[in-house]
Amino acid sequence: MTKKSSLQIEKVNTYIVNWLKTYAENANVNGFVVGISGGVDSAVTSTLCAQTGLPTLCVEMPIHQAPSHVSRGREHIEQLKSRFANVSNIEADLTPVFESFKSQVPNNDEYKTHLSLANTRARLRMTTLYYFAGIYGYLVAGTGNKVEDFGVGFYTKYGDGGVDLSPIADLMKSEVYVLADFLKIPRTILVALPTDGLFGDDRTDEDQLGASYDELEWAMLEEEKGKIAADFSGREKIVFEIYIKLSTINHHKMVAIPVCTIPNEFK
């Protein structure tokens, strides 16, 4: 992908910040709450919210979190607080809550249980963010990017997918990195391999997806052009098939909740 010029990125930055501020003012809310993971998406989202001048609460929600994730998140928060007086932070250690939940549910299938518990982490964090949003009258700002939210559905339904507004959901992951560089996000975050951190180990997003974000962005753009797997060979064919498979199985996340509409003659 061709990187955007600094002028374009500055315009994008200003546009998103104004969009956030206008939305908050129209919704008559006081500010924003953002979950901080130590990754680039949450770092960019929280920085955009901070630029509105409205109160921005950064929330750390560790659940058996890797030390590297914690340190990157805290480095970003401290940097953000030093730059913006409207930024505050709080930590809600959800590890005891998670362990209590685990003790109350069955463990029948190792793989399915492992995956379900990973999604539970995201849903506990969503609940926590809305708790703080309710207390302070804030909006929960989502941290999903375009390829995750509308390409492969790489998020937890009613977990990190449960938000009030999504400021970076029209930006590809590569564009998020360009914006992150413009916003002077800490270098430790920019060079870290993307990971959702939901499994308590070192697996990256690419390990889970089977392809890099650059590859998936390529596939998403090719699919939008009407291309099919038969149009490609080698690695491109493999990546395209991975994209189509993920997009298909996660389609239910990316559409409105189905409603059974009762025919008028039955009413």
Side-chain angles (χ1 to χ4, degrees):
M1 173 187 164
T2 302
K3 289 188 176 181
K4 296 180 179 294
S5 70
S6 59
L7 179 62
Q8 289 173 309
I9 290 301
E10 185 175 358
K11 287 182 177 179
V12 169
N13 178 78
T14 301
Y15 185 87
I16 296 175
V17 171
N18 288 339
W19 180 85
L20 282 165
K21 188 172 183 179
T22 300
Y23 191 97
E25 290 173 346
N26 289 340
N28 196 30
V29 297
N30 302 320
F32 306 96
V33 57
V34 186
I36 303 299
S37 66
V40 67
D41 294 324
S42 66
V44 167
T45 299
S46 53
T47 305
L48 291 167
C49 290
Q51 289 180 87
T52 65
L54 297 172
T56 299
L57 177 63
C58 296
V59 185
E60 295 177 89
M61 298 169 286
I63 302 175
H64 297 299
Q65 217 65 17
S68 59
H69 301 175
V70 175
S71 63
R72 289 199 302 267
R74 289 178 179 173
E75 179 185 3
H76 166 66
I77 290 171
E78 290 308 310
Q79 183 210 60
L80 202 59
K81 289 171 65 177
S82 71
R83 295 170 61 189
F84 300 96
N86 55 309
V87 174
S88 60
N89 69 293
I90 193 167
E91 178 180 330
D93 185 358
L94 299 180
T95 300
V97 180
F98 179 67
E99 288 300 318
S100 178
F101 176 85
K102 281 174 61 178
S103 70
Q104 298 299 316
V105 294
N107 182 349
N108 298 323
D109 180 293
E110 184 176 355
Y111 171 76
K112 290 182 178 179
T113 297
H114 200 45
L115 180 60
S116 189
L117 285 174
N119 286 323
T120 296
R121 294 185 187 214
R123 291 176 179 128
L124 287 174
R125 288 173 176 145
M126 178 274 293
T127 300
T128 304
L129 290 175
Y130 273 98
Y131 175 82
F132 287 115
I135 289 176
Y136 298 112
Y138 292 170
L139 291 169
V140 176
T143 61
N145 58 69
K146 188 172 185 177
V147 70
E148 289 176 337
D149 283 6
F150 301 109
V152 294
F154 189 59
Y155 58 89
T156 299
K157 196 172 187 178
Y158 307 122
D160 47 330
V163 299
D164 290 318
L165 72 176
S166 296
I168 64 170
D170 196 35
L171 297 178
M172 290 291 200
K173 188 80 168 186
S174 58
E175 294 173 313
V176 173
Y177 274 108
V178 175
L179 184 53
D181 186 59
F182 172 78
L183 294 174
K184 304 188 186 307
I185 299 302
R187 183 69 181 167
T188 54
I189 292 177
L190 294 178
V191 300
L193 294 175
T195 174
D196 61 14
L198 293 181
F199 291 90
D201 55 26
D202 295 326
R203 74 185 72 185
T204 65
D205 289 350
E206 185 172 349
D207 291 333
Q208 294 188 65
L209 294 166
S212 68
Y213 280 111
D214 283 342
E215 289 177 320
L216 293 171
E217 287 179 22
W218 165 82
M220 186 175 182
L221 293 172
E222 292 300 313
E223 195 269 340
E224 289 176 353
K225 296 175 186 175
K227 295 294 184 65
I228 60 175
D231 294 325
F232 308 103
S233 61
R235 178 62 182 172
E236 287 187 345
K237 182 180 177 68
I238 292 172
V239 169
F240 193 85
E241 289 176 340
I242 289 172
Y243 173 82
I244 295 300
K245 178 182 178 181
L246 292 171
S247 182
T248 300
I249 63 177
N250 290 323
H251 181 71
H252 66 98
K253 301 180 187 180
M254 299 180 276
V255 296
I257 298 172
V259 174
C260 178
T261 304
I262 307 301
N264 288 331
E265 58 266 29
F266 295 169
K267 295 182 179 179

